[in-house]
Amino acid sequence: MRKNTKYRTFISPLERGLRGVFLVLITHFTLSTNAQFVRGIGIMGGVTFAKHKFEFKNPDAIEKKKFVFGFNGELFGEFGRGEYIRWQSEFQYNQKGSKDKTDSTTYKNKLAYVCWNNYLKIRYELFGGIPYLLIGPRIEYKLSEAMQSPTVVSSFKNFQFSPSFGAGWEFVTYSNIKPIVEVHYNPDMYLNAYKTTPLDIKNRAWEIRVGLKYLLGNASEDCPPVYR
């Protein structure tokens, strides 16, 4: 007689966390869309200053590489009509990498990612504009890799999960088109973008962006208050 055997699948805390993030975002997006909470859509582009942190083992050593210049571009949507709290979701193309300098040679390391970024947006309306803060996760997929450093003998991970911290300013206009500027810091904190037995590598990136947001609905709803 055949016994019924139950198999238990182990799910790591990271995988549970990612599933939770996806569930929250999908639920929030569905509810927001159904309630017509799409506040605006927009486009941004700018420059990325990226570098790598090399963490060697046996013996332990850390080398911080030099910044390399790249580009980024974003398509985004803003959701919710809260005065202080909203949600911003974007699809991004981003170039990362580093310069690895020795006494006689400079090695250029280049990476390109497509990313899905989601931020909690904390904003405050002033007479001269709307400053805001952004914090949230990024899911990054590696498009291309060109590493020249001789110590890098394997490939970077195809998928990466990292946090992002940003600040922005939305300029006052009396039309539905709003100029914006943003600055972001995007570090690999707990997960390595490259991992081997002798060497781990983390990305570090600063982004400067400029763009335009198209406000859906009445433009006067997002105008800063007038004080008398």
Side-chain angles (χ1 to χ4, degrees):
M1 188 173 180
R2 187 176 180 181
K3 292 184 179 180
N4 292 327
T5 305
K6 294 183 179 180
Y7 296 93
R8 300 182 64 183
T9 303
F10 175 75
I11 302 176
S12 67
L14 175 61
E15 187 175 350
R16 290 195 188 99
L18 289 175
R19 288 183 180 183
V21 170
F22 276 120
L23 180 61
V24 170
L25 293 177
I26 291 171
T27 302
H28 187 62
F29 178 80
T30 303
L31 293 175
S32 297
T33 303
N34 290 339
Q36 296 182 346
F37 279 178
V38 182
R39 187 62 185 131
I41 56 175
I43 186 170
M44 290 184 288
V47 295
T48 300
F49 299 94
K51 66 178 181 178
H52 284 130
K53 181 180 179 182
F54 282 31
E55 300 177 349
F56 294 94
K57 308 166 190 175
N58 298 322
D60 293 340
I62 293 177
E63 294 182 5
K64 295 181 180 179
K65 304 305 179 181
K66 303 296 182 181
F67 280 102
V68 68
F69 173 86
F71 296 97
N72 64 76
E74 296 80 25
L75 297 173
F76 71 92
E78 182 181 296
F79 303 89
R81 293 182 179 268
E83 183 178 355
Y84 302 110
I85 302 294
R86 295 184 183 179
W87 168 44
Q88 183 167 307
S89 182
E90 67 183 26
F91 291 99
Q92 179 190 43
Y93 171 79
N94 201 13
Q95 295 177 335
K96 297 183 179 182
S98 66
K99 288 183 181 178
D100 186 0
K101 291 187 176 182
T102 64
D103 294 337
S104 58
T105 308
T106 297
Y107 301 101
K108 291 184 178 180
N109 302 314
K110 296 181 179 180
L111 297 158
Y113 291 91
V114 289
C115 317
W116 182 35
N117 311 329
N118 289 275
Y119 310 117
L120 174 68
K121 186 172 187 175
I122 305 170
R123 61 196 296 277
Y124 188 77
E125 296 179 359
L126 299 173
F127 181 76
I130 303 175
Y132 55 89
L133 298 175
L134 300 165
I135 182 171
R138 296 188 181 197
I139 299 174
E140 304 170 282
Y141 175 75
K142 185 186 68 178
L143 279 180
S144 63
E145 174 181 350
M147 303 293 294
Q148 295 182 354
S149 293
T151 53
V152 180
V153 297
S154 186
S155 297
F156 275 63
K157 295 178 181 178
N158 288 329
F159 285 95
Q160 178 67 340
F161 183 78
S162 64
S164 184
F165 311 92
W169 183 275
E170 181 179 314
F171 291 88
V172 173
T173 66
Y174 296 96
S175 72
N176 287 61
I177 298 176
K178 311 290 185 180
I180 54 176
V181 294
E182 290 183 0
V183 177
H184 286 256
Y185 178 54
N186 173 221
D188 291 340
M189 296 183 69
Y190 301 107
L191 298 178
N192 299 303
Y194 174 95
K195 187 174 181 63
T196 61
T197 301
L199 173 64
D200 294 341
I201 300 177
K202 288 184 171 69
N203 287 309
R204 297 282 190 271
W206 285 94
E207 300 165 13
I208 301 174
R209 313 173 177 183
V210 296
L212 296 172
K213 182 179 80 172
Y214 181 77
L215 188 66
L216 301 178
N218 187 357
S220 63
E221 292 182 23
D222 269 6
C223 287
V226 177
Y227 300 100
R228 296 181 179 179

